[in-house]
Amino acid sequence: MKNMRLKQVISGIAIFACNTVFGQDTIAYWGLNEALGSTTKEAITNTDYVIHSKWPTVERVPGIKQNALRTDGYTCWVDGDVTNIYPVDSFSVSAWLAPEVYPVDMAAVWSYYDQPSNKGAYIGINKFGNVVVNFTVNNQAVTISSLMRAEHYKWNFLVMNVDAVNGNCTVYNNGIEIINQSFLPGTLSWPSGKTFLARTSSTVNVQTIYPVNYLNCIVDEVIVRRKRWTLGQVQQEYAALNPASTPDMKTPASRFANDFHRPKYHPVPNNAWANESHGLFLHNGVYHMFYQKNGNGPFFSQQNWGHLTSTDLVNWQEKQPALYPQPGWESVGTWSGHAVKDDSGNPTLIYTGVNGAYAGIGSAQSSGEFNVWNRNPANPLIQRAPVSPSNKDFRDPYVFKEGNTWYMIIGTGINSPETGTVFLYKSNDLTNWQYVKPLFIDNSGYNSVGIFWEMPVFWKFGSKYLLLVNKTPVGPTPAKAFYWVGDFSNETFTPTNPVVKNLDIINSLLSPAVNVDAQGRTVAIGIIPDLLPTHEQYENGWANFFSLPRVWQMQNDSLFQSPHPNLNTGRGTLYNFNTINLQSSAANYLNLKGFRAEIKATITKGTATKIGFTLLKNSGNSEYTRIYYDYNGLSFVVDRSKASMNPNTPRDVQSEFFMFPNNDPVEWHIYTDGSVIEVFINDKWAFASRAYPTDPESKIIDFFIEGGTATASNVQVWDRGDVTSTITGLFDPNSSIYKNIKVYPVPAIKQCIIQLPKEVKGQIKTSLYDVSGKMIRTIDHKVLLPDQQIIWDLKDQQGLMVNTGTYFLVAQVNNKDLYRSKILVIRN
């Protein structure tokens, strides 16, 4: 009994202290300042509220005073049972909010509201960013929306005042009044139940598992008071607490810290859903690239124009969304398009807007850092698709200029004949557009071109144009990017190759964004999709990303692709190898492992029938992916049949016929980055693939050969994040199992003398390794007398002189490793 009374006294003191700090009128306060744990205190009643999150740790970031809560838009929120007493005459709510994107549907910052009984109140933002408040007076719900939006990537100090006695509601954002509305006076009604932060009290799901009324934001300092705030008090509080720095909207590193599938040096947005790269351009030394983004979770919905920037096409940063849905003709989403510079040199976005019934085309321009884009007052520039010819859909404009005329092609599909095409428009000012006709319809009978084309590109190489389109998936047939090369004359495209050509050898990369770099090279970056089921993407928290920058060149009406030279700057440690003789059933040529590597090798065929690489392999051979050329089948192959023990990931064999010229050596250039493998062949052809091993140790890198012999030369492997040698202990200077052994001269130029200690007698085996840990030579020697020496002639096991570099030796005495040393070799 005494303990109970003591707890009551302590609780009373705590409530008194909180009310003293926050004011006698404070009803509830969530500071969200905890450093650890999955709960947060409601300070007035000292009640623990639960922070829900699927991530390894609750994501706390710098806030207004101390910490704040970072949410993800679909799995993170706060809730707890209400024990506070709410007034029936008036109240106010204040909260600090920094949204990354706007929600798919209305989502609350604070909600004490029960939808079935229609009691309570909330304050939040809708899909257009407008602030929305709701409260119940005389058992009637009052809902009011502002015309002013909360801003992306900035702190918004929201204050909601409700005076039920006098029938007035005011709402402020950053000290500015955005709502002042009267209603019929009465009495406030409150429910029993929970208060929610960063979501509404009820949930609406899409694709079964994704809620659409949660916030992707930083939320902080949520306070409910009995009395209304005056404008002066709001402005005073805003001035006192407004932080000098803008909120850091990057996804906390802890969210994906254990995700070894997630790429690290490919362009990848911070989180959630990415699709269709577009609008790549260079302006004042900065590359801008846009893409389809839903930041509220890894699912297709509420498409924004995500925005990435880079100074080198290699290292990318995410910016706030450039475009997002607006009421009216683009209320459902701002879909893909293109970016050009107008006749005055101003970057202009040309985009698709959809309202659920049909699509139109609009434009927007910006200045400064291109964070805010102002829509053309004449939007929609094209209200909808032409009536004739009868068509299926209408989206994804691409704009180019020929002479003094601007042209636009828009992806579509016509009903008779049922085929994909692009509609051609023209303009003198990028605003007033006139429909011309379909640019090109394939009547050749040679090709299976699908029934709808999206994300078209019309790029000029010299006097020739390349028309690249992506046919949409139909049933089991996946999306695919292919192209023709031809002439553009009299507003008609005439291909010189009647048979379409694939963008990639093996279909994977789609919808490339194309432009020139600072040196005038044609550069393309496309999307490399996941091909994972919905529940896998839910667990991952992100879906899809973009390719490395590729340089495009046109030769003999064929498109060639190679890695952009800027990628060389991201290389880490180089593991260099001499010529390697490859034989069937052999393995461990490289003794390297890593999820993130760059590999170059020239392979010359001997008698082998299949030659390539084994990647993402574990030591037990239960997981691996093979990429190789099949000389009998005349095809490149990606064998993912054992890529993962997860049955929900791709486990198939992809292949594509490819007649390699004259049986020439194959110059492989491979980039591995988590789950992506991007391959370039002879600096001309490319393809990409995805693989998802479950074992964190499925990262062995090796050659693959079958049916005979081959030779690998110019073999180089660069660390691009985590490459290590599979030989352990060899290079650890603190290793206690070895003793040092003397070698001379230093550096070794013609030969190296290995001086054995006096106490050494018996059978000696000296093993020599290069810096990658690959054994290159063994020397057996029997020592009968002390002070004997072993001479290394600087040749490898095949009798070839080794290259300049650092080498290591391990001396085994009577079958026990005892000695080692480092040898520097310099070749004249």
Side-chain angles (χ1 to χ4, degrees):
M1 193 71 177
K2 289 182 179 180
N3 288 338
M4 184 178 294
R5 287 176 180 172
L6 180 60
K7 289 179 180 179
Q8 290 173 343
V9 171
I10 292 173
S11 178
I13 293 172
I15 293 173
F16 174 78
C18 288
N19 281 318
T20 299
V21 173
F22 304 116
Q24 291 294 325
D25 67 334
T26 304
I27 299 170
Y29 172 80
W30 296 269
L32 301 167
N33 292 322
E34 293 80 8
L36 299 170
S38 57
T39 61
T40 187
K41 287 285 185 185
E42 191 288 288
I44 302 305
T45 60
N46 200 34
T47 302
D48 281 337
Y49 275 58
V50 177
I51 304 175
H52 301 264
S53 176
K54 73 173 293 297
W55 304 113
T57 60
V58 171
E59 296 175 351
R60 295 176 169 90
V61 298
I64 299 303
K65 292 181 178 179
Q66 300 176 42
N67 289 331
L69 178 65
R70 181 67 160 96
T71 68
D72 63 2
Y74 77 112
T75 76
C76 183
W77 76 91
V78 177
D79 68 24
D81 292 325
V82 175
T83 58
N84 318 68
I85 305 300
Y86 278 77
V88 296
D89 54 351
S90 66
F91 74 98
S92 70
V93 179
S94 64
W96 289 82
L97 170 72
E100 180 183 342
V101 293
Y102 298 143
V104 177
D105 202 349
M106 209 296 298
V109 185
W110 168 88
S111 176
Y112 179 33
Y113 179 76
D114 177 61
Q115 190 171 26
S117 65
N118 201 24
K119 292 182 178 180
Y122 60 74
I123 179 171
I125 56 175
N126 65 16
K127 65 180 295 182
F128 306 119
N130 308 108
V131 178
V132 180
V133 297
N134 176 284
F135 49 91
T136 305
V137 179
N138 291 340
N139 295 318
Q140 295 294 317
V142 179
T143 303
I144 310 170
S145 297
S146 71
L147 295 177
M148 183 180 292
R149 298 181 180 90
E151 294 190 76
H152 295 107
Y153 276 54
K154 292 183 180 179
W155 284 114
N156 297 263
F157 178 47
L158 303 180
V159 178
M160 166 191 182
N161 283 328
V162 177
D163 180 354
V165 174
N166 296 300
N168 180 256
C169 173
T170 53
V171 178
Y172 304 91
N173 187 8
N174 292 345
I176 299 172
E177 185 179 86
I178 60 175
I179 291 175
N180 188 335
Q181 185 165 319
S182 299
F183 55 87
L184 291 176
T187 302
L188 294 166
S189 301
W190 298 101
S192 59
K194 293 179 180 291
T195 289
F196 295 84
L197 305 183
R199 58 161 282 188
T200 57
S201 56
S202 59
T203 299
V204 177
N205 288 344
V206 297
Q207 297 182 29
T208 306
I209 58 176
Y210 290 108
V212 294
N213 39 21
Y214 291 28
L215 287 173
N216 179 355
C217 69
I218 303 174
V219 61
D220 198 10
E221 292 290 313
V222 182
I223 308 175
V224 184
R225 296 175 173 87
R226 291 182 178 84
K227 295 181 180 179
R228 296 173 300 146
W229 283 29
T230 66
L231 175 60
Q233 289 172 323
V234 171
Q235 292 176 337
Q236 183 179 4
E237 182 79 355
Y238 175 64
L241 295 181
N242 187 27
S245 60
T246 57
D248 184 357
M249 301 307 299
K250 290 193 298 292
T251 300
S254 61
R255 186 180 300 183
F256 303 123
N258 300 320
D259 187 350
F260 55 88
H261 293 151
R262 184 171 168 84
K264 291 189 176 180
Y265 66 88
H266 279 69
V268 58
N270 287 340
N271 54 53
W273 175 268
N275 196 20
E276 295 178 349
S277 51
H278 49 259
L280 175 67
F281 68 86
L282 173 65
H283 190 79
N284 292 336
V286 177
Y287 295 94
H288 299 259
M289 186 175 73
F290 304 90
Y291 67 97
Q292 288 291 276
K293 175 185 179 69
N294 173 27
N296 296 294
F299 62 100
F300 178 85
S301 185
Q302 181 81 351
Q303 295 302 294
N304 291 229
W305 271 46
H307 185 189
L308 300 172
T309 63
S310 174
T311 57
D312 59 6
L313 291 169
V314 178
N315 300 287
W316 294 87
Q317 292 184 338
E318 185 158 13
K319 301 296 184 180
Q320 68 186 59
L323 299 173
Y324 44 87
Q326 303 282 350
W329 71 279
E330 52 176 311
S331 59
V332 171
T334 51
W335 288 11
S336 300
H338 192 211
V340 294
K341 293 185 180 181
D342 67 11
D343 292 326
S344 298
N346 301 312
T348 304
L349 307 186
I350 315 290
Y351 66 97
T352 308
V354 295
N355 65 5
Y358 52 84
I361 307 298
S363 70
Q365 289 191 328
S366 182
S367 58
E369 296 299 318
F370 304 115
N371 288 330
V372 178
W373 292 80
N374 301 309
R375 284 165 166 77
N376 192 324
N379 283 352
L381 309 180
I382 301 173
Q383 290 190 349
R384 57 191 304 176
V387 175
S388 178
S390 175
N391 52 79
K392 299 178 181 299
D393 207 341
F394 184 72
R395 62 177 182 263
D396 308 337
Y398 181 93
V399 178
F400 63 100
K401 194 172 187 182
E402 189 76 11
N404 294 321
T405 303
W406 288 100
Y407 288 98
M408 179 193 300
I409 56 174
I410 302 173
T412 187
I414 58 176
N415 293 321
S416 182
E418 189 176 40
T419 183
T421 188
V422 290
F423 287 155
L424 179 68
Y425 288 76
K426 65 181 178 181
S427 172
N428 293 322
D429 58 6
L430 284 177
T431 294
N432 297 287
W433 292 93
Q434 175 188 348
Y435 172 64
V436 181
K437 61 181 179 180
L439 175 70
F440 166 66
I441 297 174
D442 181 20
N443 292 316
S444 67
Y446 294 118
N447 308 302
S448 175
V449 297
I451 61 174
F452 184 89
W453 296 349
E454 60 183 356
M455 297 302 298
V457 172
F458 203 54
W459 187 259
K460 195 172 186 179
F461 289 96
S463 61
K464 291 291 184 72
Y465 268 101
L466 173 144
L467 173 62
L468 182 146
V469 297
N470 297 259
K471 73 173 182 179
T472 54
V474 177
T477 304
K480 190 172 187 177
F482 51 81
Y483 69 91
W484 293 268
V485 176
D487 302 313
F488 180 62
S489 178
N490 297 320
E491 298 177 338
T492 299
F493 173 72
T494 305
T496 55
N497 60 305
V499 179
V500 297
K501 299 182 180 181
N502 292 340
L503 173 62
D504 274 14
I505 296 175
I506 296 175
N507 179 54
S508 183
L509 183 138
L510 301 169
S511 72
V514 186
N515 217 317
V516 293
D517 67 4
Q519 288 72 41
R521 292 173 290 226
T522 300
V523 177
I525 299 175
I527 187 173
I528 303 176
D530 276 349
L531 303 178
L532 292 175
T534 298
H535 67 275
E536 293 285 343
Q537 293 174 332
Y538 180 98
E539 291 301 324
N540 291 342
W542 58 277
N544 309 321
F545 60 91
F546 306 107
S547 71
L548 297 173
R550 302 180 177 187
V551 175
W552 279 9
Q553 293 180 308
M554 182 65 65
Q555 296 182 23
N556 299 323
D557 290 353
S558 290
L559 180 65
F560 291 157
Q561 304 183 81
S562 60
H564 195 281
N566 288 3
L567 290 166
N568 296 346
T569 61
R571 291 167 170 167
T573 302
L574 169 64
Y575 298 86
N576 221 333
F577 298 85
N578 296 319
T579 300
I580 300 174
N581 294 321
L582 306 175
Q583 299 179 7
S584 294
S585 302
N588 299 325
Y589 290 101
L590 303 176
N591 291 312
L592 296 176
K593 62 180 180 180
F595 287 116
R596 294 168 180 86
E598 179 184 353
I599 307 159
K600 291 187 75 173
T602 300
I603 298 181
T604 303
K605 180 183 180 296
T607 59
T609 57
K610 299 176 181 178
I611 312 171
F613 292 84
T614 299
L615 304 169
L616 302 176
K617 172 181 173 294
N618 61 6
S619 57
N621 277 332
S622 59
E623 291 185 326
Y624 58 80
T625 297
R626 285 176 174 163
I627 296 180
Y628 59 88
Y629 185 72
D630 182 347
Y631 286 88
N632 288 344
L634 300 177
S635 58
F636 278 97
V637 179
V638 178
D639 183 352
R640 300 187 294 190
S641 57
K642 289 193 174 182
S644 176
M645 289 183 284
N646 181 356
N648 298 316
T649 65
R651 298 190 301 178
D652 56 6
V653 179
Q654 300 171 293
S655 66
E656 190 71 34
F657 176 81
F658 190 91
M659 180 73 75
F660 208 82
N662 302 319
N663 226 16
D664 291 344
V666 182
E667 297 175 6
W668 293 83
H669 195 170
I670 302 173
Y671 295 86
T672 64
D673 188 10
S675 59
V676 65
I677 303 167
E678 201 162 353
V679 182
F680 296 88
I681 302 295
N682 286 38
D683 270 346
K684 291 182 177 181
W685 307 283
F687 60 94
S689 190
R690 303 290 301 278
Y692 307 87
T694 61
D695 184 352
E697 293 305 314
S698 291
K699 51 185 178 180
I700 294 173
I701 303 167
D702 205 0
F703 286 101
F704 164 70
I705 182 170
E706 190 174 285
T709 62
T711 303
S713 57
N714 303 317
V715 181
Q716 297 173 297
V717 180
W718 286 271
D719 174 18
R720 306 240 20 163
D722 64 350
V723 175
T724 58
S725 171
T726 58
I727 298 177
T728 60
L730 188 60
F731 311 125
D732 181 4
N734 298 316
S735 178
S736 59
I737 66 170
Y738 296 111
K739 301 175 183 178
N740 287 330
I741 190 170
K742 183 179 179 181
V743 296
Y744 61 91
V746 179
I749 298 174
K750 295 182 178 179
Q751 64 178 15
C752 176
I753 299 173
I754 304 164
Q755 180 67 58
L756 299 174
K758 292 182 179 180
E759 65 270 20
V760 171
K761 289 184 181 180
Q763 191 67 37
I764 309 296
K765 181 178 180 180
T766 301
S767 300
L768 294 149
Y769 301 86
D770 64 16
V771 292
S772 71
K774 178 180 181 296
M775 183 184 294
I776 61 168
R777 175 79 181 272
T778 59
I779 303 174
D780 292 315
H781 190 82
K782 191 170 185 178
V783 176
L784 300 176
L785 299 174
D787 293 326
Q788 288 204 11
Q789 300 170 337
I790 297 174
I791 298 176
W792 176 34
D793 56 7
L794 307 187
K795 294 181 180 179
D796 63 16
Q797 204 73 15
Q798 287 76 41
L800 301 173
M801 296 296 291
V802 299
N803 296 324
T804 295
T806 301
Y807 298 84
F808 296 84
L809 71 85
V810 174
Q812 188 183 80
V813 181
N814 297 325
N815 296 319
K816 184 178 181 180
D817 289 346
L818 288 180
Y819 302 100
R820 71 161 184 191
S821 191
K822 181 168 69 173
I823 304 169
L824 176 63
V825 174
I826 296 180
R827 295 285 308 281
N828 291 333

